[in-house]
Amino acid sequence: MADGQTSFQLAVCEQEREQLLTALESAEVEIERLAEENDRLQMERSRWLAENHHLRHLLAQSHARLLEAQVAARNAVPRLVSGLEGDLTVVSEELQISLEELQVTAEELEETNAALLQTNERLESQVAERTEHLERALAERDELLRCKDALLYQIGHRVRDSLQVVLSLIRIQIGRSEDPKVRQALQATGARVHAVARVHDRLFTGGGSERVTMDRYLRDICSSITDALGVEAPRQTLEVEAEPVELPADQAFPVGLIVTELVGNAFRHAFARSGSGTVWVQFGALPDGMLKLVVADDGRGIPPRIEFSGTVGLGMQVVALMVQRLGASLSVGHAHGSCFTLTLPDPGAQEAADEQARVPPRSRSG
């Protein structure tokens, strides 16, 4: 009943998350449209302001010419020479006509300037309105982002609680079971669920990052395996050497599940005779852009021709499935115990190579 209710709640949360993501995409499209409209209005406003400045300059020049003509007309001295009186009359008439034309031009410039001022006010009003719409759209987008983060937090919290409930039920069943085979199967199942829960917990507490730091993750699940199987030093020991390589969650989980199966099998089967031994887990990057995982023990070893098929246990079938999912290669050594070596591509090295390929040659040489 609890699992059904949890599944229903997760489905509702997932639907709400999809609705919020759709609304967020619509808000971002509206924001882009408003930003483009705002840029266009700003350009139009700048153009009108430049035109207004040009017309004001022309008006100032016209006023200056008008004043010069008026001064020249006042300073014209009548000449006594009778032959020049007609010329002066003509010049005076032409000056009068020029003054009237300049007056008309000044009036037209004043009207144009008034129209430009009205246009400027209208553009400023439109810019203010568009800016208000843009700020409102940005506020809506921020609210949608906040709702999405809150919803993701709730989903993550519920998934983590559900996984913890499953682990608790498995531990209760282990405590009640008297059959060693049943207890062993439940312990293996609990270890697998724990590997899933640890990936989810790393993502949930990672501040929104979708990558898992492998050194802490592997130490965490190895510690859980030794606690579940009752491994006690110095009779049996587990040594973990892992580099702080970050992997995406969809790659970290298969690696963790492979480690869970191989380490669990080593402690359950490798030391059946002597009862004591050591298991090593190593993980790190190779110079050729690959990652290497090694799980080895100094126990009795495994058959030299092991086949990952239906003839082996569920654990080794899970290992084969996870190797295929990672696109990795797995080799098995038989000297002084068992040694499983997993080689897989390093996504970080591939991302760095892609980024380097996108950089222009001049930028790289500089």
Side-chain angles (χ1 to χ4, degrees):
M1 184 65 180
D3 293 339
Q5 184 177 4
T6 302
S7 300
F8 176 74
Q9 291 176 349
L10 291 176
V12 171
C13 290
E14 183 63 23
Q15 184 177 3
E16 293 177 354
R17 176 177 174 271
E18 292 178 357
Q19 292 176 353
L20 285 174
L21 290 175
T22 302
L24 179 60
E25 292 176 357
S26 300
E28 289 178 347
V29 171
E30 180 66 17
I31 288 171
E32 291 179 359
R33 187 185 68 80
L34 289 174
E36 292 176 356
E37 183 68 16
N38 189 20
D39 292 340
R40 185 184 65 81
L41 290 173
Q42 289 287 359
M43 292 176 62
E44 187 175 354
R45 178 175 178 272
S46 299
R47 184 174 64 83
W48 282 110
L49 288 175
E51 185 68 19
N52 185 13
H53 177 73
H54 178 65
L55 290 175
R56 285 179 176 273
H57 180 68
L58 291 178
L59 181 60
Q61 288 182 344
S62 299
H63 277 295
R65 290 174 58 190
L66 179 60
L67 292 175
E68 289 177 359
Q70 289 176 348
V71 171
R74 292 195 187 101
N75 293 335
V77 180
R79 300 191 179 182
L80 299 177
V81 182
S82 60
L84 297 178
E85 291 180 355
D87 295 337
L88 290 174
T89 302
V90 173
V91 172
S92 297
E93 291 177 355
E94 292 178 353
L95 287 174
Q96 185 64 31
I97 294 173
S98 299
L99 290 174
E100 292 175 356
E101 291 177 351
L102 289 174
Q103 186 66 31
V104 172
T105 303
E107 293 175 356
E108 291 177 352
L109 288 175
E110 288 291 343
E111 293 176 357
T112 304
N113 187 40
L116 285 175
L117 289 176
Q118 292 179 357
T119 303
N120 187 32
E121 292 177 358
R122 179 174 59 83
L123 288 174
E124 289 180 350
S125 176
Q126 291 179 355
V127 170
E129 182 179 357
R130 294 296 184 184
T131 303
E132 182 180 357
H133 286 315
L134 182 60
E135 290 176 351
R136 189 181 304 115
L138 289 173
E140 292 177 358
R141 185 197 66 174
D142 294 340
E143 179 65 19
L144 288 173
L145 288 173
R146 188 191 64 79
C147 292
K148 185 196 75 171
D149 293 340
L151 181 60
L152 290 176
Y153 180 84
Q154 292 178 3
I155 292 174
H157 188 72
R158 292 176 183 178
V159 171
R160 185 172 66 171
D161 288 347
S162 299
L163 291 174
Q164 290 298 328
V165 169
V166 173
L167 282 173
S168 299
L169 293 175
I170 292 175
R171 292 190 183 104
I172 292 173
Q173 193 63 36
I174 291 174
R176 292 181 178 180
S177 177
E178 297 179 357
D179 189 343
K181 293 183 178 180
V182 173
R183 291 172 60 88
Q184 180 177 332
L186 289 173
Q187 287 174 348
T189 301
R192 296 174 187 131
V193 174
H194 180 78
V196 178
R198 289 300 91 190
V199 169
H200 179 76
D201 188 60
R202 293 294 178 190
L203 297 177
F204 186 72
T205 58
S209 175
E210 297 182 357
R211 305 179 75 87
V212 177
T213 305
M214 294 303 294
D215 57 343
R216 291 180 294 176
Y217 173 56
L218 293 179
R219 288 190 179 93
D220 193 353
I221 60 175
C222 287
S223 176
S224 175
I225 293 171
T226 56
D227 292 341
L229 297 178
V231 175
E232 296 181 356
R235 181 170 167 268
Q236 293 180 349
T237 57
L238 173 61
E239 297 183 5
V240 180
E241 298 177 4
E243 298 178 4
V245 178
E246 290 189 350
L247 288 183
D250 58 351
Q251 288 188 316
F253 164 65
V255 172
L257 201 54
I258 290 172
V259 171
T260 299
E261 298 298 337
L262 294 179
V263 172
N265 284 342
F267 279 115
R268 281 190 291 266
H269 305 295
F271 311 123
R273 295 177 181 176
S274 62
S276 61
T278 302
V279 178
W280 294 272
V281 176
Q282 297 177 339
F283 182 79
L286 297 175
D288 58 355
M290 303 291 286
L291 297 174
K292 184 174 75 171
L293 169 69
V294 177
V295 179
D297 63 74
D298 57 358
R300 62 179 183 176
I302 60 175
R305 293 186 178 181
I306 183 171
E307 297 289 341
F308 295 103
S309 62
T311 59
V312 298
L314 176 62
M316 299 307 295
Q317 294 183 45
V318 170
V319 170
L321 182 63
M322 294 299 102
V323 170
Q324 183 179 4
R325 176 175 173 179
L326 288 169
S329 62
L330 180 65
S331 61
V332 184
H334 306 276
H336 308 292
S338 301
C339 179
F340 293 84
T341 302
L342 179 75
T343 305
L344 67 153
D346 184 357
Q350 184 61 41
E351 291 174 1
D354 294 341
E355 183 66 24
Q356 183 69 14
R358 286 193 293 268
V359 176
R362 293 183 179 179
S363 299
R364 271 182 274 162
S365 61

